[in-house]
Amino acid sequence: MSNLAKALKDPVEQAEGTEIKPQYLEALHLVERLHRRLLDVIKDEFERRGRDDVNSVQALLIYNIGDKELTASELRTRGYYLGSNVSYNVKKLVEMGYLHHARSRVDRRSVRISLTEKGRDIHDMVRSLYEKHSRTIQPIGGISDEDFERLNTALNRLERFWTDQIRYRL
């Protein structure tokens, strides 16, 4: 019997006898904490530069839009936005002049958003922060390219696992 078949046969029984449960739970907490910490790092960078006009969630949203033109629903479905109030932040960023907001020529019900020059400045600040991190993470943080390859492989598998849980109602 395959591992998948065994796991699906009685998942509760399998979970009680396995050693992976503590590591899985630790990974869940780390994923949550790391996202919050990333927002803290972005907030700190903006404070160092004397910028308090956008918050870290909005800065990350702007960064993820980049050169693309998207709808608010595309922001959510593509995983570019992790908050529940994307409409609120998009509205605020439009009002503050960081995003263009225009009706789609094809579907007049749909609103397309893209960065203004002011938004590109925020995007560039986050990009430069990430570039600095990519240069310094190995010598200072002790994390190698190989470590990131393994980490990214594991995180992609976890994402696929969670997606399958939803899609196939496992």
Side-chain angles (χ1 to χ4, degrees):
M1 184 182 285
S2 74
N3 288 340
L4 178 59
K6 287 178 188 174
L8 292 176
K9 184 176 180 189
D10 191 349
V12 174
E13 183 180 310
Q14 291 291 324
E16 290 172 0
T18 185
E19 292 297 317
I20 201 166
K21 185 178 177 184
Q23 290 84 2
Y24 176 68
L25 295 177
E26 182 179 359
L28 295 179
H29 294 295
L30 280 170
V31 166
E32 290 179 87
R33 263 198 340 255
L34 285 170
H35 175 64
R36 285 192 301 273
R37 184 62 54 177
L38 172 63
L39 294 175
D40 290 344
V41 167
I42 293 169
K43 179 179 181 268
D44 180 67
E45 179 69 12
F46 276 64
E47 286 174 354
R48 288 175 192 222
R49 294 183 181 212
R51 299 287 302 256
D52 62 357
D53 45 340
V54 296
N55 63 40
S56 55
V57 171
Q58 292 166 336
L60 192 56
L61 178 61
I62 288 170
Y63 175 79
N64 286 318
I65 292 170
D67 292 331
K68 297 177 275 310
E69 184 179 276
L70 304 166
T71 65
S73 63
E74 286 174 322
L75 285 171
R76 286 187 298 266
T77 59
R78 292 183 185 188
Y80 290 154
Y81 188 74
L82 301 173
S84 59
N85 53 359
V86 65
S87 299
Y88 170 80
N89 279 311
V90 166
K91 180 182 175 193
K92 289 307 245 181
L93 290 169
V94 168
E95 289 172 1
M96 294 187 297
Y98 293 100
L99 296 179
H100 289 292
H101 182 263
R103 293 261 170 226
S104 169
R105 285 176 250 112
V106 177
D107 180 358
R108 300 300 297 165
R109 297 168 296 174
S110 178
V111 175
R112 310 289 295 172
I113 55 175
S114 61
L115 300 184
T116 62
E117 279 305 311
K118 200 172 165 183
R120 283 190 210 333
D121 290 342
I122 298 296
H123 176 273
D124 291 345
M125 286 176 66
V126 176
R127 183 184 42 75
S128 70
L129 174 66
Y130 288 176
E131 287 172 356
K132 179 179 89 174
H133 289 170
S134 70
R135 289 188 311 272
T136 59
I137 197 146
Q138 186 165 1
I140 295 172
I143 305 171
S144 69
D145 287 345
E146 294 81 21
D147 292 332
F148 277 113
E149 285 178 26
R150 286 190 300 278
L151 174 65
N152 292 341
T153 297
L155 289 173
N156 278 313
R157 287 177 181 165
L158 181 59
E159 180 184 27
R160 187 171 50 244
F161 172 76
W162 285 343
T163 300
D164 289 350
Q165 296 299 302
I166 297 165
R167 182 177 294 143
Y168 303 117
R169 298 182 183 254
L170 299 176

